[in-house]
Amino acid sequence: VDLPNAAGAAEKGERIVLTIRPDDTIQLNGMDLAKDEAVARVRRLNAANVKLPVIISGDRRASLGVGIELLSELKAAGVEKASFQVTGK
């Protein structure tokens, strides 16, 4: 994934990684899934009290809309900590 450049703090420890590839397809921890299924799996983890931070690793060629929709759906699913992964400047 070709990440965008921006300043940001590194996440440490266990986390959930959602990857948006250049063709706007999504992976959850390396597994190909539809966006709805990825969000549903994260929701189930939250319901089981596994409240890990979620990192959205979006390729710079992916659609911005997909990333915004994904973030919005994660927040609606109860995710308290979600952020976009970037490369440092």
Side-chain angles (χ1 to χ4, degrees):
V1 175
D2 185 15
L3 297 172
N5 292 319
E11 280 287 336
K12 294 182 176 151
E14 200 173 353
R15 59 193 176 272
I16 297 168
V17 178
L18 289 163
T19 303
I20 306 171
R21 291 184 280 187
D23 62 358
D24 293 337
T25 56
I26 294 175
Q27 290 183 323
L28 171 65
N29 292 338
M31 180 188 323
D32 292 333
L33 293 173
K35 181 176 61 167
D36 294 342
E37 179 58 25
V39 172
R41 288 185 185 210
V42 173
R43 180 182 289 120
R44 286 193 294 272
L45 287 171
N46 269 344
N49 213 25
V50 180
K51 297 191 181 223
L52 297 172
V54 176
I55 305 299
I56 301 171
S57 179
D59 190 284
R60 69 175 60 241
R61 294 171 304 231
S63 300
L64 177 61
V66 173
I68 292 171
E69 290 169 3
L70 183 58
L71 180 60
S72 175
E73 291 178 30
L74 290 168
K75 293 292 186 179
V79 172
E80 296 173 8
K81 188 170 183 186
S83 58
F84 287 93
Q85 183 177 16
V86 296
T87 60
K89 282 187 164 184

